Amino acid sequence: MTNRYIMINGDIVPYENATIHVASVAMKYGASVFEGIRGYWNSSNKTLNIFLLNEHIRRLLESMKLMRMKHNYSSKDISQFIENLVRHNLLKEDCYIRCAASIEGEGGIDVSDPVMLSIDAFPQSRKAKQQEGIHVSISSWIRISDTMMPPRIKCIANYQNGRLATLQAKADGYDNTILLNQNGKIAEAPTACIFLVKNGILITPSVTQGILESITRNFIIEIAEKLNLSCKQQDIDRSECYLADEIFLCGTGVEILPVVSVDRFTVGKGIIGNITNQLKLYYYDTVYEKEYNGSHYLYPVSF
Ligand code: PMP
């Protein structure tokens, strides 16, 4: 992307100038929280539809609160900054918006200000294997828990747990991996939540099982109801994954990504399942406004 700009504390600056000091508490102790948000381009209306923007901003503010960051940013400020940046970067295509709040102050582990709010926005297409699905393992790394580093928020330091698990899974020849929580129940993938389908019922771990409070997961629970699919939030054993009819991961990055094997056990028929496909189509119809025009899930930025 030529002429990429970044928003820093409300100012639009060239990409090269968007830096933070090595002595900052963000760099030294990982005191930074973030959001990943998707924008979908609607070529007929010439609008970039930002998906579930308010929900992402709410979670960013919650992450900042939990990390005791001192700041004065409102949700309105942040949505305005995002809107200004995507316009400035001329994002007339599907894109990804990364919004971070980082402690740029120097000092000890307890320093909580000043906070640097940075926003990056760049083109991003669909992840591969949306159609054929992916092969995952159950990781031997265990998901961090609420008593250590709350996984319900998006603190960058949390991602070292998922990074170790991903690197191990890739070294072992898998596409991705699922982590168990401290109680040996299914938690989530390193950057996505998980749903199983068994006998026509959707099942996903509850938000107290060591998972991020995923916005896509909430959206799927909501649309499942509209599609008259029952959905349960409950504990899931590892062996339930081996015997599931369908499995998929969900999240802003992966959208809805079918899983076709777990620890080399084939899931269902080893292809994308009917319910997964139904949800995937509903998701695309919503974000590209094929069926559900002017949906309240979208924040339109017009060009
Ligand atoms: N879990 C983790 C650890 C993640 O990083 C993500 C991606 N944000 C998800 C789940 C999915 O969350 P969301 O649907 O809000 O993107």
Side-chain angles (χ1 to χ4, degrees):
M1 178 185 178
T2 48
N3 295 329
R4 177 161 161 191
Y5 289 88
I6 299 210
M7 167 89 58
I8 302 285
N9 297 332
D11 297 325
I12 290 177
V13 303
Y15 180 86
E16 310 70 64
N17 298 356
T19 55
I20 190 162
H21 206 280
V22 290
S24 66
V25 171
M27 275 296 290
K28 289 197 318 194
Y29 302 113
S32 179
V33 297
F34 76 106
E35 276 302 313
I37 310 168
R38 263 190 195 268
Y40 294 95
W41 178 243
N42 182 326
S43 51
S44 354
N45 300 349
K46 304 265 180 292
T47 52
L48 182 76
N49 288 316
I50 306 182
F51 189 42
L52 297 164
L53 178 62
N54 291 334
E55 287 74 0
H56 281 284
I57 294 177
R58 191 177 318 132
R59 190 172 62 190
L60 182 71
L61 291 168
E62 285 182 0
S63 294
M64 290 162 90
K65 176 176 181 181
L66 204 50
M67 300 307 289
R68 298 182 192 273
M69 291 187 177
K70 294 184 193 139
H71 71 96
N72 292 315
Y73 290 111
S74 69
S75 146
K76 188 123 197 17
D77 294 335
I78 301 173
S79 58
Q80 195 58 59
F81 293 161
I82 291 177
E83 188 171 338
N84 293 350
L85 183 69
V86 296
R87 279 222 180 84
H88 200 91
N89 276 346
L90 292 173
L91 284 164
K92 299 184 195 179
E93 58 191 301
D94 289 356
C95 67
Y96 188 82
I97 301 158
R98 190 178 190 279
C99 190
S102 316
I103 306 291
E104 60 175 339
E106 273 187 41
I109 201 162
D110 57 340
V111 168
S112 301
D113 64 343
V115 170
M116 175 198 270
L117 187 78
S118 60
I119 307 170
D120 191 5
F122 47 87
Q124 177 143 303
S125 51
R126 187 126 302 125
K127 292 261 191 294
K129 305 201 175 169
Q130 284 278 338
Q131 216 33 56
E132 78 222 64
I134 57 164
H135 300 275
V136 308
S137 61
I138 302 288
S139 185
S140 51
W141 293 99
I142 298 297
R143 187 75 183 123
I144 48 172
S145 79
D146 196 65
T147 51
M148 303 171 184
M149 298 172 72
R152 77 179 62 252
I153 60 158
K154 278 178 84 77
C155 180
I156 60 167
N158 289 358
Y159 284 80
Q160 294 314 304
N161 176 232
R163 187 171 146 76
L164 285 168
T166 304
L167 292 172
Q168 184 65 55
K170 294 265 165 93
D172 293 342
Y174 295 96
D175 299 312
N176 208 325
T177 191
I178 308 294
L179 289 101
L180 302 177
N181 65 20
Q182 304 280 305
N183 301 323
K185 302 294 177 189
I186 297 292
E188 61 179 344
T191 63
C193 280
I194 182 170
F195 279 84
L196 272 61
V197 178
K198 184 76 180 184
N199 300 326
I201 296 173
L202 281 157
I203 313 167
T204 193
S206 75
V207 292
T208 52
Q209 293 299 308
I211 67 169
L212 179 74
E213 293 201 359
S214 154
I215 291 164
T216 319
R217 172 186 173 281
N218 285 347
F219 173 72
I220 289 168
I221 293 171
E222 223 176 289
I223 61 175
E225 204 178 322
K226 291 186 186 161
L227 293 169
N228 284 325
L229 296 166
S230 46
C231 179
K232 293 186 182 158
Q233 298 179 51
Q234 62 184 42
D235 287 3
I236 301 174
D237 284 332
R238 168 190 199 138
S239 55
E240 288 183 88
C241 291
Y242 300 155
L243 302 175
D245 300 328
E246 299 179 31
I247 300 182
F248 62 88
L249 303 184
C250 75
T252 302
V254 300
E255 301 173 308
I256 293 179
L257 184 60
V259 171
V260 290
S261 79
V262 181
D263 283 347
R264 308 289 177 212
F265 282 103
T266 302
V267 176
K269 299 195 178 99
I271 53 171
I272 179 167
N274 287 339
I275 293 184
T276 308
N277 208 28
Q278 215 182 328
L279 293 165
K280 211 157 80 99
L281 293 176
Y282 197 107
Y283 181 99
Y284 292 141
D285 285 350
T286 305
V287 299
Y288 292 116
E289 294 185 288
K290 296 249 161 61
E291 287 286 336
Y292 313 101
N293 256 325
S295 141
H296 68 279
Y297 299 119
L298 306 174
Y299 178 102
V301 178
S302 46
F303 281 83

